Amino acid sequence: MGIHGDGRYTVVVDPIDGSLNAKRGIPFFSISIAVAEGETMDDVVFGYVFDFGTGEEWTATRGGGAFLNGEPITERPKDVLEILSFEATTTAYVSENAARFDGVAVRLRIMGSLAITLCHLAAGRVDGGVSLKAARSVDIAAAQLLVREQGLAIELCDMPPFGSAPLDLVGRSRVAAAGTDALCRELAVALRN
């Protein structure tokens, strides 16, 4: 559902990213809010993700950096893909895709919230993340700003370029993100193969 008006800003809200986790009492879900001065990912000027499980508050402003609980994020992902997070998963998606990442990443994690996974990438807690099915803007609009403000790489594997992706409710592409452009490309290639 979308509400359209003629205001200056576009606001993208995912009230519960990780809704199955929330429903089952698994403390890994968030609210995600992005504010944009246009209708694409490049237009996002503010991102906010609140992790209900940990109480962590993640924010970013375009050109102003990325923050965790009001403090600048200083950690970075490793230069190798030691921990890769899979998102948008079902057993079938995992079994169909996991072998593609053998030799690309050392360990896999499946946590259940793409927004939080991207925040964890921004803070160097994981070294890469992929969405195994097409993500919607509500899943990534806020957290992608943290990733980009940290100078990390993120791309749409099926519909580049990332920055021109529309802020609408259509799932358009799988997502790959990592600490460097080269690692991100490696993840994207593994997703496509």
Side-chain angles (χ1 to χ4, degrees):
M1 179 177 131
I3 299 172
H4 300 279
D6 56 5
R8 175 179 173 194
Y9 297 102
T10 300
V11 179
V12 180
V13 179
D14 188 350
I16 300 291
D17 184 44
S19 57
L20 184 57
N21 286 349
K23 180 179 177 183
R24 299 291 300 268
I26 299 169
F28 200 85
F29 58 95
S30 65
I31 185 171
S32 178
I33 303 168
V35 178
E37 292 180 328
E39 298 180 2
T40 70
M41 288 292 173
D42 274 348
D43 296 322
V44 174
V45 296
F46 177 74
Y48 175 86
V49 178
F50 181 78
D51 182 336
F52 289 101
T54 63
E56 291 177 320
E57 188 173 63
W58 304 84
T59 59
T61 55
R62 188 173 64 200
F67 298 83
L68 170 56
N69 295 326
E71 297 294 323
I73 298 173
T74 57
E75 297 297 319
R76 294 190 52 82
K78 292 185 176 184
D79 291 332
V80 296
L81 293 167
E82 180 182 20
I83 299 176
L84 172 63
S85 183
F86 274 2
E87 292 299 339
T89 57
T90 62
T91 304
Y93 282 139
V94 174
S95 65
E96 292 166 10
N97 287 281
R100 297 177 187 184
F101 295 90
D102 189 23
V104 174
V106 179
R107 300 175 189 278
L108 294 176
R109 297 292 183 264
I110 301 171
M111 298 185 259
S113 168
L114 184 52
I116 297 175
T117 286
L118 291 175
C119 290
H120 284 205
L121 174 65
R125 294 176 179 175
V126 299
D127 305 308
V130 295
S131 175
L132 299 180
K133 70 174 187 176
R136 300 168 302 150
S137 69
V138 296
D139 301 319
I140 60 175
Q144 63 86 23
L145 189 59
L146 279 100
V147 169
R148 294 169 89 187
E149 283 297 312
Q150 287 294 92
L152 310 180
I154 186 167
E155 76 173 72
L156 298 177
C157 302
D158 307 312
M159 196 185 128
F162 185 86
S164 63
L167 297 173
D168 60 19
L169 298 178
V170 178
R172 298 189 186 281
S173 177
R174 295 168 295 170
V175 176
T180 67
D181 288 334
L183 290 175
C184 189
R185 277 192 301 275
E186 198 171 344
L187 292 175
V189 167
L191 266 179
R192 289 183 196 116
N193 291 335

